[in-house]
Amino acid sequence: MRWDRLGRDGSAGALFGTDAVTTRTFDTPGFRGITFHEIRARSILNKVPGASRMPFEWTVNPYRGCGHACVYCFARKTHSYLDLDTGHDFDTQIVVKVNAPELLRRELASPRWQGEHVAMGTNVDCYQRAEGRYQLMPGILTALRDRANPFSILTKGSLILRDLELIRQAASVTEVSVALSVGFLDSELWRSVEPGTPSPRTRLAVCRALSGNGVPSAVLMAPVLPFLSDSPEQLRATVRAIAAAGARSITPLVLHLRPGAREWYMAWLARHHPHLVRRYEALYAGGSYAPTWYQRRVTRHVHGFAAEFGCGPARHGEARRPAEPRTPQAAAPSPTPPENTQLTLM
């Protein structure tokens, strides 16, 4: 495995060396078959490249690789920088930055840090199953809270409820937003395409629990899978369930297929839905993103259903510091893109 030459973007300039790596396996049902590479990172605040389409500039990623094993995950490409494959290895070879909380506390205290917004869960999920063992997020949230540094969390993980009180405390002193990722309701599709995640219904229950405890949450309806979860009937049922869960807003995101994820997803598609392979090849012939007309159609449907059920799209500036500690106001981590723009979060 290539550790020494690993930089933030896979370029030269190591973030850690081979002498800082400890490899572990755990013989428990939840972690069987997964290898954890514990490292002491040299940096934890990551600057998003200027050419990125992300609506934020800084991220914190305590993990690399993800036990959620979502076949479409765009972050799969990052495992190739370690000379690991972007398929099975991404799901089972997890890098854990065990010093993330202490490192973040130090970097936030640096005179060079200007208190910019920090996004979490936009590469791999910070509340994946590994977090239950390593418990890095409480220290990370505490560091952000203590510096009153604004942040957002995007997750599929129900483990976020463990840290509810820390999130509430942070929301009393700075801008905090939380979003759950729920692209569809179909349980059979979920088991096939997102095998390591809590079910969509469980994630909606998390949204309901957060809102009921003073942390209003958004839902990224992501990804909408062409020809699998995109019919008007499916979209309406999903939006209805999201609204019933008390989501503050809904933002639809159509599947995008970057290199690394594209090969893994298309292999899955060929096994499970071979009749759709040619349709996908045609739809994504222009690159990683579905055509503008298709994205607009999905967005139009979702926004229409959201209006029907009283749950609108995310709006710029919704996340804000609450007036009272016990009534924090939070929302989606980013503004709604124009209808012809596809965010690249999931």
Side-chain angles (χ1 to χ4, degrees):
M1 189 182 298
R2 186 178 69 183
W3 296 111
D4 284 323
R5 291 183 290 139
L6 178 66
R8 286 184 179 83
D9 56 359
S11 60
L15 292 181
F16 45 84
T18 53
D19 59 343
V21 180
T22 300
T23 299
R24 300 185 193 277
T25 58
F26 302 105
D27 190 24
T28 56
F31 298 114
R32 194 165 292 139
I34 298 178
T35 300
F36 296 96
H37 304 281
E38 301 173 358
I39 64 99
R40 294 192 64 81
R42 295 174 183 166
S43 178
I44 196 66
L45 280 167
N46 307 301
K47 177 74 171 177
V48 177
S52 171
R53 299 172 76 172
M54 296 288 191
F56 43 78
E57 296 185 6
W58 294 92
T59 64
V60 165
N61 301 300
Y63 301 97
R64 193 170 191 143
C66 187
H68 283 343
C70 301
V71 297
Y72 52 75
C73 183
F74 77 89
R76 289 181 174 277
K77 178 66 175 176
T78 62
H79 251 43
S80 66
Y81 305 147
L82 295 171
D83 286 344
L84 294 169
D85 73 58
T86 63
H88 183 69
D89 285 348
F90 181 84
D91 303 337
T92 61
Q93 303 283 331
I94 311 298
V95 177
V96 184
K97 302 172 186 177
V98 293
N99 63 332
E102 62 190 79
L103 193 55
L104 179 60
R105 184 172 291 277
R106 185 166 70 242
E107 293 183 3
L108 292 177
S110 169
R112 295 188 297 274
W113 180 249
Q114 300 299 307
E116 294 95 333
H117 177 97
V118 173
M120 294 176 284
T122 58
N123 188 36
V124 300
D125 202 321
C126 51
Y127 283 107
Q128 61 178 284
R129 280 179 293 167
E131 172 61 16
R133 175 169 290 273
Y134 286 98
Q135 300 186 50
L136 301 179
M137 286 300 293
I140 289 171
L141 294 173
T142 299
L144 290 164
R145 178 203 65 190
D146 292 350
R147 301 296 299 189
N149 201 104
F151 66 87
S152 60
I153 300 172
L154 171 63
T155 185
K156 289 185 175 79
S158 56
L159 191 58
I160 190 174
L161 293 179
R162 180 200 64 190
D163 296 337
L164 174 60
E165 184 55 32
L166 277 171
I167 294 170
R168 285 167 53 121
Q169 291 171 12
S172 72
V173 296
T174 190
E175 294 181 351
V176 174
S177 58
V178 176
L180 280 299
S181 174
V182 183
F184 47 83
L185 300 180
D186 187 310
S187 59
E188 184 176 349
L189 182 60
W190 156 63
R191 290 187 181 95
S192 182
V193 80
E194 301 171 344
T197 66
S199 73
R201 297 288 183 182
T202 297
R203 284 174 249 162
L204 291 178
V206 170
C207 179
R208 188 177 298 109
L210 288 169
S211 297
N213 283 277
V215 184
S217 302
V219 168
L220 290 184
M221 196 167 158
V224 174
L225 301 176
F227 319 122
L228 291 170
S229 67
D230 65 343
S231 72
E233 296 77 16
Q234 289 171 310
L235 295 175
R236 186 176 188 274
T238 302
V239 171
R240 182 175 185 174
I242 292 170
R248 186 181 186 91
S249 64
I250 304 173
T251 301
L253 302 177
V254 174
L255 172 73
H256 63 277
L257 295 173
R258 294 183 186 176
R262 188 183 189 112
E263 297 85 347
W264 192 243
Y265 183 85
M266 292 302 290
W268 170 85
L269 194 70
R271 291 193 304 273
H272 294 272
H273 304 280
H275 63 290
L276 292 180
V277 169
R278 288 190 177 180
R279 296 183 72 182
Y280 266 79
E281 289 173 346
L283 190 67
Y284 289 89
S288 300
Y289 296 89
T292 297
W293 65 264
Y294 179 86
Q295 293 186 46
R296 284 179 171 170
R297 187 179 72 184
V298 169
T299 298
R300 185 169 60 251
H301 280 310
V302 170
H303 285 182
F305 297 138
E308 176 185 351
F309 296 115
C311 184
R315 294 180 295 276
H316 181 66
E318 276 191 332
R320 64 183 70 87
R321 188 190 308 186
E324 298 293 337
R326 293 193 176 276
T327 57
Q329 302 292 318
S334 61
T336 303
E339 285 195 341
N340 62 344
T341 300
Q342 173 70 51
L343 288 177
T344 55
L345 296 176
M346 297 298 290

